[in-house]
Amino acid sequence: MATASVAFKSREDHRKQLELEEARKAGLAPAEVDEDGKEINPHIPQYMSSAPWYLNAERPSLKHQRKWKSDPNYTKSWYDRGAKTFQAEKFRKGACENCGALTHDKKACVERPRKLGAKWTGKHIAPDEKIETFELDYDGKRDRWNGYDAASYKHVIQRYEAKDEARSKYLKDEQLKKLEEKNNNQNKEDGVSDDEDNEDNLKVDEAKVDESKQMDFAKVEKRVRTTGGGSTGTVRNLRIREDTAKYLLNLDVNSAHYDPKTRSMREDPLPDMDPNEKFYAGDNQNRVSGQALEFKQLNVHAWEAFDKGHDVHMQAAPSQAELLYKNFKINKEKLKSHTKDKIMEKYGNAAAGEVLPRELLLGQSEREVEYDRAGRVIKGQEMALPKSKYEEDVYINNHTTVWGSWWKDNQWGYKCCHQTVRNSYCTGAAGIEAAEASADLMKANVARKEATEEAPAAAEEKRIATWGSEVPDDLVLDQKRLSEALQKEDERKREERDERKRKYNVKWNDEVTPEDMEAFRMKRVHHDDPMKDFLN
């Protein structure tokens, strides 16, 4: 019989183990039981994979290799999400300053920050959260499905089942409608053909299309990363073989370039062709249309917003960038409409007013008018001149004409009364007669004054000396003596400028002749003379 070889620390431990076994055999000590409550046979080692037949073992056991007994300290329950416990009516000390809950502080609060927290208002106190602590074992900490409720996925299944039911009901209704139309429009002559057509329409299903008709339209090809812009993955060939290849649309060698490696033709091969008849307009057409253009505008908006200081990044937070762009477009439309409303409120809306006449709207009419060489109307009616948006033919102060309809003596006025004052009151024909009489009277007075005035006496010519002093009438100057007096005056001035030229024996004569006086006046320097610096 196989026995277990157990190593003991001392002989005393071995002796105690033997005494315990003897007591169990005698019924004096309780027997050892397993997790199922069955008594453990001490003669069967716990590390054996298969026990002998005579030991009456029901199953093999390797319990010594792992911790097979579950620890009662560990639990498999999970948190009660969203559960609330107590809701206070006033703020408590130590609670969250924002919402008033006692289970967390202001830093860990997940509610919206209030303008005035519950600490200061004492209103709308949030209930306390249910705080639970679990001690999980090794497997419980790493179980990603721990706490998952399978019943929460039931609403997803119900939604898809409801869609399937609605789809099947819609198809049945369509079939019934078509059958009713067929019965109502059934014709004896074309009855067979109508039945076949309706049956074909009811049996049309994309999944049942013959593969020979599809050709290689749905063929999936592998595409590797290339220098021409390819990417790793598979691509579906969406070109039907009956269509003309893009590189055969224009055989001119100078037309749009075709890259055979990437099968791309960026430019338009037929730029002069009618756009309505084009089947292919180049690969760049896809970049400036549809969602590609919207995505490009979104990127540009994100760049401009980042340059202006906003924390926007298209790759890091695309949802945020898209939301900001959406709000930007809404605000832009609001601003545009607001500006339009302000302009219309200030200047009015001529488009919403009275309908303009055809002559003013189109500038033409179908009326036929004939004129002669002088410009007179021979046949038809002369077309009225269109008026502008400004006020015209507005008569004030009883005038029958507008200001500026009359011109006389470099002055504008009114033609109806010949008034030259802008805001004057109209006097009519009487005013014109009074103005003419006043003008005639003024002309008569001027003529009479000119006739009565005597001719002015002729001014006497006076003999004036060289520098403006008057000379007596009986004065007679000798030209010879005058020339000698001028020479003496020049010598006297030279002596005054240079003392060395004055002679020692000076003869002084105090007699002054009229010629000497005239020479002095002629040689005298006048400070008011602008040419004084050029004399001598």
Side-chain angles (χ1 to χ4, degrees):
M1 183 177 70
T3 57
S5 59
V6 181
F8 298 97
K9 295 182 179 180
S10 62
R11 292 183 178 181
E12 186 66 23
D13 294 338
H14 191 193
R15 186 181 63 78
K16 290 181 180 180
Q17 182 68 23
L18 292 176
E19 290 178 356
L20 181 60
E21 291 177 1
E22 292 294 335
R24 284 175 177 172
K25 290 179 182 180
L28 301 176
E32 188 179 2
V33 296
D34 58 2
E35 60 180 353
D36 298 331
K38 295 182 178 181
E39 184 178 352
I40 298 176
N41 194 339
H43 299 286
I44 301 177
Q46 299 301 315
Y47 59 85
M48 295 176 61
S49 61
S50 60
W53 60 273
Y54 50 82
L55 294 180
N56 296 326
E58 295 182 0
R59 60 183 183 274
S61 175
L62 292 174
K63 296 179 180 179
H64 66 285
Q65 293 189 0
R66 64 183 179 88
K67 190 177 181 181
W68 57 275
K69 288 186 178 181
S70 60
D71 194 341
N73 297 326
Y74 294 139
T75 180
K76 291 187 178 180
S77 59
W78 196 246
Y79 302 100
D80 190 3
R81 298 184 180 181
K84 307 293 182 180
T85 56
F86 174 73
Q87 184 173 5
E89 296 181 355
K90 63 180 181 178
F91 184 79
R92 296 160 292 177
K93 184 178 180 180
C96 176
E97 297 179 0
N98 184 42
C99 66
L102 196 61
T103 51
H104 63 268
D105 55 358
K106 182 179 180 181
K107 187 176 181 181
C109 185
V110 296
E111 285 195 6
R112 176 183 59 83
R114 303 180 184 179
K115 188 175 182 180
L116 290 177
K119 179 180 179 181
W120 294 274
T121 59
K123 299 179 181 179
H124 306 291
I125 304 297
D128 299 340
E129 294 90 355
K130 185 178 180 181
I131 305 298
E132 298 176 289
T133 56
F134 301 113
E135 187 176 358
L136 303 176
D137 55 358
Y138 182 85
D139 293 335
K141 292 178 182 178
R142 289 158 180 80
D143 187 6
R144 67 174 61 185
W145 296 99
N146 194 359
Y148 174 73
D149 186 10
S152 62
Y153 193 72
K154 188 182 297 183
H155 69 281
V156 180
I157 300 175
Q158 292 176 355
R159 185 170 70 249
Y160 278 94
E161 289 178 352
K163 287 183 178 180
D164 293 338
E165 292 178 1
R167 186 182 296 106
S168 60
K169 184 179 179 180
Y170 174 75
L171 292 176
K172 288 181 180 179
D173 294 341
E174 290 293 327
Q175 290 178 358
L176 290 175
K177 288 181 181 179
K178 290 181 180 180
L179 290 174
E180 290 177 0
E181 292 177 358
K182 180 192 69 173
N183 294 332
N184 295 332
N185 300 329
Q186 186 176 9
N187 193 355
K188 295 181 179 180
E189 298 178 355
D190 301 330
V192 179
S193 61
D194 292 342
D195 293 341
E196 293 176 355
D197 295 338
N198 292 327
E199 290 177 1
D200 293 339
N201 294 332
L202 294 175
K203 293 180 181 179
V204 168
D205 188 3
E206 186 179 356
K208 296 181 181 180
V209 177
D210 189 6
E211 294 181 358
S212 61
K213 296 181 180 179
Q214 290 187 2
M215 300 186 69
D216 58 349
F217 181 76
K219 183 179 178 182
V220 178
E221 298 178 354
K222 182 156 187 175
R223 188 173 183 179
V224 297
R225 188 177 299 276
T226 60
T227 57
S231 59
T232 304
T234 58
V235 62
R236 190 178 297 275
N237 186 8
L238 300 179
R239 187 178 70 84
I240 302 176
R241 293 303 179 187
E242 284 77 5
D243 296 338
T244 306
K246 62 178 73 174
Y247 53 84
L248 297 178
L249 294 175
N250 192 349
L251 300 179
D252 188 4
V253 294
N254 296 324
S255 62
H257 174 68
Y258 174 75
D259 186 9
K261 188 172 184 179
T262 58
R263 299 180 182 178
S264 62
M265 181 180 287
R266 302 182 185 278
E267 299 179 2
D268 189 0
L270 299 172
D272 299 331
M273 189 177 177
D274 186 8
N276 297 326
E277 299 179 359
K278 280 186 182 179
F279 178 75
Y280 177 75
D283 295 340
N284 287 337
Q285 184 68 20
N286 299 329
R287 299 185 179 183
V288 295
S289 62
Q291 295 182 351
L293 181 59
E294 297 178 0
F295 183 72
K296 186 184 296 183
Q297 294 174 352
L298 179 59
N299 278 327
V300 172
H301 176 264
W303 297 337
E304 293 178 351
F306 182 77
D307 292 339
K308 293 179 180 178
H310 297 281
D311 188 10
V312 182
H313 197 280
M314 187 60 196
Q315 282 70 35
S319 300
Q320 178 190 8
E322 187 173 1
L323 181 60
L324 289 176
Y325 181 56
K326 184 178 179 180
N327 295 335
F328 168 74
K329 291 195 294 185
I330 294 174
N331 295 333
K332 185 178 180 181
E333 292 295 331
K334 289 183 179 179
L335 181 61
K336 187 184 295 183
S337 61
H338 179 65
T339 306
K340 182 179 178 181
D341 295 340
K342 288 180 64 177
I343 293 175
M344 291 173 60
E345 182 180 357
K346 185 175 182 180
Y347 299 102
N349 186 7
E354 299 180 357
V355 180
L356 296 177
R358 183 181 179 86
E359 293 81 3
L360 186 59
L361 183 63
L362 302 178
Q364 60 183 0
S365 64
E366 297 179 357
R367 290 180 297 181
E368 183 178 357
V369 182
E370 293 183 5
Y371 299 89
D372 59 2
R373 293 185 178 181
R376 293 183 294 271
V377 179
I378 300 176
K379 181 180 179 183
Q381 185 179 2
E382 188 175 1
M383 183 174 56
L385 295 176
K387 296 182 179 181
S388 65
K389 63 179 181 179
Y390 302 101
E391 293 182 349
E392 295 184 6
D393 299 336
V394 178
Y395 308 118
I396 61 174
N397 297 334
N398 203 26
H399 287 284
T400 57
T401 57
V402 296
W403 169 260
S405 59
W406 187 63
W407 169 265
K408 186 177 182 181
D409 297 335
N410 297 328
Q411 287 184 342
W412 291 104
Y414 295 97
K415 186 178 181 180
C416 56
C417 59
H418 293 184
Q419 292 277 355
T420 57
V421 181
R422 178 66 183 270
N423 294 322
S424 61
Y425 194 81
C426 184
T427 56
I432 297 176
E433 294 177 357
E436 292 178 353
S438 177
D440 295 340
L441 180 60
M442 185 179 294
K443 290 179 181 179
N445 292 336
V446 171
R448 185 172 63 255
K449 185 177 180 180
E450 289 178 354
T452 57
E453 286 182 354
E454 296 180 354
E460 297 180 356
E461 294 183 2
K462 297 181 179 180
R463 294 186 59 190
I464 300 176
T466 306
W467 297 109
S469 59
E470 296 182 359
V471 180
D473 297 336
D474 55 351
L475 179 62
V476 178
L477 299 176
D478 188 1
Q479 296 296 330
K480 185 177 180 181
R481 292 181 180 180
L482 181 60
S483 61
E484 292 176 357
L486 288 174
Q487 291 178 2
K488 290 179 181 180
E489 186 67 22
D490 292 337
E491 291 177 0
R492 187 183 66 81
K493 286 188 175 184
R494 280 196 297 270
E495 291 177 357
E496 289 179 358
R497 287 196 297 266
D498 191 0
E499 294 291 337
R500 293 175 299 178
K501 294 185 177 181
R502 180 181 297 179
K503 297 180 180 180
Y504 181 75
N505 296 323
V506 179
K507 294 180 180 180
W508 182 260
N509 188 10
D510 56 354
E511 294 181 1
V512 179
T513 61
E515 287 79 5
D516 295 338
M517 193 64 190
E518 182 68 16
F520 171 74
R521 293 193 186 98
M522 294 175 65
K523 294 293 183 180
R524 185 178 57 179
V525 176
H526 288 262
H527 296 284
D528 296 336
D529 186 7
M531 301 296 291
K532 63 182 180 178
D533 296 333
F534 298 96
L535 297 175
N536 298 329

